[in-house]
Amino acid sequence: MPSTDVAPASDVVAAFAQGQELAVWRSEAGSPQVWENRCPHRSVRLTLGQVVDGRLSCAYHGWSYAADSAQCERIPAHPDRTPPANLCVKTFACAERGGIVWARLDSPEAPATEPPLHPLPEGWQALRTLSVRASATATRLALAQFGWQRDGGDVLWLGALDGQPAQALLLEAQPELTMLHLRCETHSDLRARHAAARQLRAQIEAVNGGKP
């Protein structure tokens, strides 16, 4: 998710990664939090809640969970009772690199490796994020068909928008939904880049729609 989509101590943002529904927010200190989008009390989506006094508060009964530890610290119906120590939201390790909040779903521990991302080249900026109605595999095949090339693994792709250099970060959100975070040179004609980005999405979806 683009860093700019997650404001400090503000709303809770919904996200998906590999089919996992996530609640993304920032602590008062500014550190990103990537949690399972489910309150352990009644399984209500945490994205319906809000950040109150530096804690994520569920919209249903107001149970509040601390940043970083995700431990329940307040139950409004029992203000004098200390919540059990094991009453926590499931969390995922995350890191913020290159203007993107990255989550790692296979471990709650700190990531052992850096996210698969090179820093933005000097004079470049984030353009926009596209949601593409196609699987990650179909999107990769379409990008290759349209002349984009992998830079290392499957995440970072190099190509062009309206004839100008561009980068795409390809992330699987759901089995048939892929997110493309596009980046380009700051001095580019952004209106033309946006139009080219929309065309790229239409082309990918058209190719995917033609598959059996």
Side-chain angles (χ1 to χ4, degrees):
M1 172 177 290
S3 296
T4 53
D5 287 358
V6 192
S10 184
D11 294 335
V12 188
V13 184
F16 286 89
Q18 298 175 356
Q20 172 70 54
E21 189 173 353
L22 304 170
V24 186
W25 61 289
R26 285 189 190 275
S27 68
E28 287 186 322
S31 61
Q33 311 286 314
V34 180
W35 294 5
E36 181 181 32
N37 194 12
R38 185 184 70 84
C39 177
H41 179 218
R42 296 292 186 182
S43 297
V44 173
R45 285 183 170 87
L46 291 172
T47 45
L48 299 174
Q50 59 184 328
V51 181
V52 179
D53 296 329
R55 296 187 291 254
L56 195 162
S57 178
C58 178
Y60 192 22
H61 290 114
W63 289 31
S64 296
Y65 302 89
D68 300 323
S69 70
Q71 183 173 343
C72 184
E73 291 191 340
R74 182 174 182 271
I75 299 176
H78 304 284
D80 299 325
R81 183 183 303 175
T82 300
N86 63 347
L87 185 55
C88 302
V89 180
K90 182 178 180 179
T91 65
F92 300 97
C94 63
E96 196 163 12
R97 301 286 188 277
I100 297 287
V101 175
W102 299 80
R104 179 172 174 172
L105 304 186
D106 60 353
S107 171
E109 306 300 328
T113 58
E114 290 292 311
L117 172 63
H118 300 310
L120 266 175
E122 185 176 353
W124 283 52
Q125 68 178 20
L127 176 64
R128 65 177 300 173
T129 296
L130 296 177
S131 56
V132 182
R133 294 188 298 272
S135 68
T137 297
T139 301
R140 285 191 288 266
L141 291 172
L143 285 176
Q145 178 179 331
F146 301 138
W148 290 67
Q149 297 182 341
R150 289 182 174 89
D151 186 5
D154 288 335
V155 174
L156 183 60
W157 288 72
L158 307 179
L161 293 172
D162 193 42
Q164 300 299 315
Q167 294 181 350
L169 303 174
L170 189 156
L171 302 172
E172 178 187 343
Q174 298 183 38
E176 290 297 325
L177 181 66
T178 300
M179 308 304 292
L180 285 181
H181 301 294
L182 299 174
R183 313 191 299 181
C184 67
E185 293 177 313
T186 303
H187 65 267
S188 298
D189 180 346
L190 296 183
R191 180 176 296 181
R193 299 296 88 73
H194 280 288
R198 292 192 297 269
Q199 183 180 16
L200 176 64
R201 173 170 56 192
Q203 290 173 327
I204 295 172
E205 292 178 346
V207 169
N208 185 60
K211 294 182 178 297

